[in-house]
């Protein structure tokens, strides 16, 4: 069974630009969560999607947004990039909202210059 | 104060030693306690989890939760160089997909 896939794996952007990251969950998984990982703050929850609806949101500014498609694939978007947005962005999928097993993808390494 | 506190290490121990990794948390609503292992340049992998207080053993790994003191532990017996990784504790509430991670402890097992 294929794991969670994320594209692209690496990305370099300039301040002020916007970026879209993609996540394909494990087949049959309907819940997708996004996390930001930085050396200073660790892993922080961004948002969770289930059945194409955002169910939960972390404490991030409105520049961070996401969506989920009918096939459970998800995208997240960051607009007006700042240097502090440089991080590893991780996507995790689980079968349902109350499944305690979340499986993470390898992440997208975003560097903002 | 962060909801989950974890000593970032780094922690270096000789091969074969018993390793103890710990977290404390402040939210008494947490009911599930997950441990993830993250190798360099990889996403975290779920190692094991426990529900409420008590112990759970899986091979060389034992997870322990004491809800009265809000203390979470992971023990690794007969540690191996392949155990070298960052270990993250992540408690959560029932019905809430959000995981609240500790900062992670970087562990190195010296052959």
């Amino acid at each position: 069974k294929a794991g969670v896939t994320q594209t692209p794996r690496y990305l370099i952007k300039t301040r002020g630009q916007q970026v879209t990251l993609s996540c394909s969950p494990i087949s049959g998984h309907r819940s997708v969560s996004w996390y930001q990982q930085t050396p200073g703050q660790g892993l922080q929850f961004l948002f969770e999607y289930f059945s194409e609806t955002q169910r939960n949101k972390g404490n991030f500014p409105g520049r961070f947004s996401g969506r989920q498609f009918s096939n459970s694939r998800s995208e997240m978007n960051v607009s007006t990039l700042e240097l502090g947005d440089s991080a590893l962005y991780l996507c995790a999928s689980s079968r349902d909202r109350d499944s305690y097993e979340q499986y993470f993808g390898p992440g997208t390494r975003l560097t903002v210059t | 104060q962060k909801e989950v506190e974890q000593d970032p290490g780094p922690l270096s121990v000789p091969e074969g030693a018993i390793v103890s990794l710990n977290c404390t948390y402040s939210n008494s609503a947490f009911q599930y306690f997950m441990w993830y292992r993250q190798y360099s340049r990889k996403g975290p992998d779920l190692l094991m989890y426990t529900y409420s207080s008590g112990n759970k053993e899986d091979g060389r790994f034992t997870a322990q939760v004491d809800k009265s003191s809000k203390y979470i532990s992971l023990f690794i017996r007969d540690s191996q160089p392949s155990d070298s990784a960052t270990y993250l504790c992540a408690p959560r509430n029932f019905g809430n997909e959000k995981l609240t991670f500790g900062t992670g402890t970087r562990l190195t097992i010296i052959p």
Side-chain angles (χ1 to χ4, degrees):
Chain A
K1 199 180 208 182
V4 178
T5 57
Q6 292 187 245
T7 56
R9 291 293 311 279
Y10 302 92
L11 208 49
I12 299 175
K13 290 285 189 179
T14 304
R15 268 182 304 177
Q17 288 186 315
Q18 75 159 16
V19 67
T20 299
L21 312 180
S22 181
C23 171
S24 292
I26 292 171
S27 178
H29 285 198
R30 300 188 296 163
S31 177
V32 173
S33 299
W34 288 89
Y35 294 82
Q36 181 197 65
Q37 186 174 29
T38 59
Q41 298 296 318
L43 266 154
Q44 292 186 285
F45 173 78
L46 279 157
F47 25 65
E48 177 222 343
Y49 286 88
F50 181 81
S51 291
E52 302 177 64
T53 303
Q54 187 180 92
R55 304 289 179 157
N56 208 345
K57 191 178 191 307
N59 296 326
F60 278 82
R63 300 184 297 106
F64 292 81
S65 62
R67 59 178 174 166
Q68 187 181 32
F69 302 94
S70 58
N71 61 358
S72 294
R73 192 177 70 84
S74 178
E75 288 181 348
M76 69 162 280
N77 184 278
V78 188
S79 62
T80 320
L81 284 165
E82 300 176 1
L83 293 178
D85 296 334
S86 295
L88 181 66
Y89 289 89
L90 291 157
C91 166
S93 79
S94 57
R95 186 169 297 280
D96 292 295
R97 292 205 72 219
D98 57 359
S99 301
Y100 29 76
E101 297 182 17
Q102 283 193 16
Y103 298 90
F104 282 82
T108 294
R109 172 78 59 186
L110 172 65
T111 302
V112 182
T113 61
Chain B
Q1 185 193 3
K2 287 189 171 185
E3 272 191 296
V4 182
E5 299 276 3
Q6 186 175 8
D7 186 341
L11 179 64
S12 295
V13 300
E15 182 176 354
I18 295 175
V19 177
S20 172
L21 303 167
N22 308 294
C23 291
T24 58
Y25 64 94
S26 57
N27 188 345
S28 57
F30 289 144
Q31 293 178 299
Y32 292 91
F33 302 90
M34 333 295 280
W35 281 97
Y36 282 83
R37 178 174 61 193
Q38 186 174 24
Y39 291 110
S40 182
R41 301 188 178 281
K42 303 278 189 184
D45 289 320
L46 180 61
L47 194 55
M48 58 192 303
Y49 62 88
T50 54
Y51 171 69
S52 194
S53 283
N55 293 358
K56 185 174 182 179
E57 191 174 314
D58 184 358
R60 297 184 295 109
F61 298 87
T62 299
Q64 196 173 75
V65 176
D66 182 347
K67 290 191 75 178
S68 63
S69 58
K70 299 188 177 69
Y71 199 79
I72 314 165
S73 299
L74 178 71
F75 299 96
I76 308 174
R77 292 186 302 280
D78 187 25
S79 55
Q80 304 294 311
S82 58
D83 296 329
S84 297
T86 296
Y87 290 79
L88 302 133
C89 63
R92 60 171 286 194
N93 302 341
F94 177 76
N96 187 339
E97 281 289 290
K98 173 189 170 184
L99 291 168
T100 304
F101 283 89
T103 51
T105 300
R106 201 168 88 192
L107 172 68
T108 301
I109 307 299
I110 304 165

